Amino acid sequence: MEPSQPTPPVPPPAGGPQPIGGPQPGGWAAPGPYTSPGMPYAAGPYSGPPGAPGAVPYGQPPRRTTNGLAIGSLVTGIVCCLPPLGLVLGLVALPQIRKRGQDGKGLAIAGIVLSAVSSLLLVVGLATGGISSAWHSFEKGVDEAARSKSPYSLRTGQCFTDASKDEKYATDVKVVDCARPHQGEVTGDFKVTGYDKWPGDDPLDQLAQERCESLNEAYAMDTWKIPREVWTYYYLPSSQSWRLGDRTVTCALATEKKPFSGSLRSDSTSLTVDQEYFLLNVNPIERTGYEEPEDDADEDFEANRKWAGELLVAIDAARAGVKAHDWPGTSEAALAALGKELDTASKRWGELAAAEDPDAYWDAYDAAWDALPEDLGAEARTALGLTDTLPAGEGTQA
């Protein structure tokens, strides 16, 4: 990693203005593939913001095989059933990796180290009679190493850093306190089902994009809290780890740019009832805004008019929700003002969605976006104690 998805907008560039929270012209280069720590565990690409136009997987480096003896060395070193065997397997694997140009050097080294340590502990324990104490200490050390090295063991809410740049398999991932600078935060995970054998990378990529976007949206509902350089990200099982029984996809919000501090979590465990209700109603407007067709109205009029209708539905749903809720006294005025803004936005987007041809569509386009500025609801957010300022920087929030 170098871990899902304001002021009124100025008139849009060619092709229309960006959606709420969307990328600005002249944004940064697309992030490359992430790396995956520990066991042979493939990483998925950043997918960009949920529903963002053109959000497709970025290219990954050519896939290489992983040396089987390296995997065996690591597994044997962790299990500790035959410590010398893991040491031997690792030593045999290293020259094979160099000769064949395979992946797995980090796995072999980790297996050698773990096997050497366990062998030493075994000898010390037998010599001193303290084998039980040594075994307990070793198990604790292995557990701590696994939690900070393998994405399989990353847990929801954990923040991490990854110094394994330009490597297919990450070997230097560390769980850190979320208050410290970090590069990613785990938003959840899920098990892959429905496949009797390894399905390949493409089906897993598609599944991970869909499921991780949903997990990220539920985990970080206060989207204005998410730095603009943070994107939806996921770790996938590789063909090798699949054979060892790995079926877990780990989802995260992560960045390859400047590390960030503080947890991004804002869900039912950390929000008040009023905050959660507000975000459930207004977030669909932001999410649908990302889904504007790539082709403009002159090229695909029907797709653009359909999208405008979908955004109108989101606006009307938020308008009804805001007016129906019994807001706390200190926020009542701000929410009433937001309701009036949504009334105006509904009229303008209704005109856009009802356009009969591309010319009429363009005539209504700017007015629709002017009625739905990026900072829509900022005062209501302040009154409710939510993040009330869009994050600074290039890019877009997940």
Side-chain angles (χ1 to χ4, degrees):
M1 217 185 288
E2 308 277 341
S4 174
Q5 103 91 345
T7 54
V10 296
Q18 299 294 334
I20 299 173
Q24 303 301 313
W28 64 88
Y34 206 169
T35 54
S36 172
M39 296 181 63
Y41 210 91
Y46 280 95
S47 65
V56 296
Y58 295 109
Q60 298 192 45
R63 299 186 181 279
R64 302 191 300 175
T65 60
T66 301
N67 186 275
L69 292 180
I71 298 174
S73 174
L74 179 62
V75 173
T76 305
I78 292 176
V79 174
C80 301
C81 54
L82 293 171
L85 178 59
L87 183 62
V88 172
L89 291 176
L91 293 173
V92 173
L94 288 176
Q96 287 188 0
I97 291 170
R98 288 194 298 270
K99 181 178 180 181
R100 300 174 184 176
Q102 293 178 304
D103 288 321
K105 180 179 179 181
L107 305 181
I109 293 175
I112 291 172
V113 172
L114 290 174
S115 297
V117 172
S118 58
S119 296
L120 178 61
L121 290 176
L122 180 61
V123 171
V124 171
L126 292 174
T128 62
I131 188 66
S132 297
S133 176
W135 178 260
H136 176 73
S137 298
F138 179 69
E139 279 187 321
K140 181 178 179 181
V142 169
D143 179 65
E144 292 177 353
R147 284 189 288 108
S148 61
K149 294 290 185 181
S150 171
Y152 181 81
S153 60
L154 288 173
R155 297 293 178 260
T156 301
Q158 287 185 326
C159 297
F160 60 90
T161 60
D162 184 357
S164 307
K165 297 180 180 179
D166 303 322
E167 295 183 22
K168 182 177 178 181
Y169 299 118
T171 56
D172 195 9
V173 171
K174 182 180 180 181
V175 175
V176 300
D177 189 327
C178 289
R180 297 173 53 191
H182 54 275
Q183 294 165 305
E185 182 170 349
V186 180
T187 59
D189 57 48
F190 64 91
K191 296 286 186 180
V192 177
T193 60
Y195 296 101
D196 295 330
K197 60 181 181 180
W198 166 247
D201 296 293
D202 290 342
L204 291 181
D205 275 339
Q206 183 176 357
L207 177 63
Q209 286 184 40
E210 296 172 357
R211 296 286 298 276
C212 286
E213 284 180 4
S214 297
L215 286 172
N216 286 358
E217 288 173 5
Y219 182 89
M221 295 178 64
D222 188 357
T223 56
W224 289 19
K225 187 178 181 180
I226 304 173
R228 288 188 183 272
E229 293 83 6
V230 171
W231 301 78
T232 295
Y233 187 71
Y234 47 85
Y235 289 110
L236 301 175
S238 69
S239 57
Q240 292 84 5
S241 67
W242 183 278
R243 288 196 294 268
L244 296 174
D246 178 18
R247 300 291 186 272
T248 300
V249 174
T250 301
C251 305
L253 288 166
T255 180
E256 287 187 332
K257 295 191 178 281
K258 183 179 179 180
F260 58 97
S261 300
S263 174
L264 302 178
R265 189 166 199 159
S266 54
D267 55 13
S268 58
T269 67
S270 58
L271 297 172
T272 67
V273 172
D274 295 312
Q275 290 173 332
E276 185 176 9
Y277 181 87
F278 174 84
L279 294 172
L280 285 173
N281 278 274
V282 301
N283 279 358
I285 299 176
E286 182 178 86
R287 184 165 58 249
T288 306
Y290 285 124
E291 299 172 356
E292 183 174 10
E294 288 188 36
D295 294 333
D296 63 30
D298 293 325
E299 298 172 314
D300 194 341
F301 171 63
E302 288 303 324
N304 280 268
R305 185 167 66 171
K306 178 183 178 183
W307 165 76
E310 292 171 350
L311 189 49
L312 173 62
V313 170
I315 293 171
D316 285 342
R319 182 168 60 130
V322 166
K323 293 181 177 181
H325 190 67
D326 185 16
W327 299 102
T330 55
S331 62
E332 187 174 357
L335 270 299
L338 174 60
K340 293 180 179 179
E341 290 184 89
L342 291 172
D343 287 340
T344 302
S346 177
K347 294 177 182 178
R348 300 289 83 83
W349 282 88
E351 294 167 359
L352 186 64
E356 296 183 353
D357 54 47
D359 288 338
Y361 188 89
W362 287 123
D363 287 342
Y365 189 84
D366 288 344
W369 277 114
D370 288 342
L372 195 68
E374 281 189 331
D375 61 352
L376 181 70
E379 292 184 5
R381 286 173 172 269
T382 300
L384 292 171
L386 293 166
T387 306
D388 56 7
T389 304
L390 283 166
E394 296 180 317
T396 184
Q397 58 208 56

